Amino acid sequence: MSDKRKRGRPRVLESPDELYRMWQEYKQWVKDNPIMVHDFVGKDGRPVYREKERPLTRERFYVYVMDNYGINIHQYFDNTNGTYNEYLDIITRITDERRTNQLEGGMVGIFHPNLTARLNGITEKTETTTIVHTMNIGQ
């Protein structure tokens, strides 16, 4: 009689569609829950709160899923040893949507452009050339 028990932790998501459904819910939550920024206006510095659009982030998505479903989804994105290859298309889509949100928000000034670029691995390269002149005196 062979031992047919599965090894390792069981998967907690039923399908890639379930992960994408959670992503759609998270995006709606982001729209419905802007960040409230404490600010001061006018000559007397009257305190006010301004709504600022919340960026889509992978880390906040992880927290959202844990808070609402009690599921840790890090391993799906990490995909160590190719265990979650069937989720790659959805994860690529989520990553593309997240980066697009951050980059476009940075480009139009909703989010800080330098931080957005840094988070997404975009750097401005400058080239510096140094010219060294040598003089031979006394020859």
Side-chain angles (χ1 to χ4, degrees):
M1 189 180 238
S2 68
D3 185 8
K4 299 240 181 197
R5 285 182 278 166
K6 292 183 180 178
R7 295 177 186 233
R9 295 188 339 201
R11 294 183 184 195
V12 287
L13 294 178
E14 295 294 322
S15 71
D17 290 338
E18 184 179 11
L19 181 61
Y20 194 62
R21 180 184 52 76
M22 290 175 176
W23 173 252
Q24 296 297 337
E25 289 174 11
Y26 163 70
K27 290 192 316 183
Q28 187 60 52
W29 179 87
V30 165
K31 285 183 187 266
D32 295 343
N33 293 281
I35 296 172
M36 300 302 290
V37 177
H38 194 206
D39 200 359
F40 300 90
V41 297
K43 65 179 180 153
D44 297 326
R46 184 174 45 90
V48 297
Y49 284 90
R50 298 180 192 268
E51 290 185 359
K52 297 288 185 174
E53 184 175 332
R54 186 181 296 268
L56 299 174
T57 66
R58 182 178 49 196
E59 292 77 8
R60 173 48 88 177
F61 180 48
Y62 291 167
V63 170
Y64 174 85
V65 172
M66 180 58 84
D67 286 350
N68 289 280
Y69 296 96
I71 298 171
N72 181 345
I73 59 170
H74 285 251
Q75 68 270 20
Y76 292 88
F77 284 77
D78 296 342
N79 194 28
T80 305
N81 300 322
T83 305
Y84 300 98
N85 282 344
E86 67 196 80
Y87 289 82
L88 286 178
D89 287 343
I90 293 303
I91 289 182
T92 299
R93 172 66 188 247
I94 289 169
T95 300
D96 290 347
E97 287 185 28
R98 175 185 54 81
R99 288 189 75 198
T100 299
N101 168 266
Q102 291 176 4
L103 294 172
E104 288 177 351
M107 289 174 151
V108 299
I110 297 170
F111 312 132
H112 194 285
N114 290 342
L115 180 58
T116 299
R118 192 174 317 140
L119 288 172
N120 287 286
I122 300 168
T123 59
E124 183 176 313
K125 294 182 181 181
T126 58
E127 186 175 316
T128 304
T129 303
T130 304
I131 300 173
V132 178
H133 292 279
T134 59
M135 295 178 60
N136 292 328
I137 300 176
Q139 290 195 7

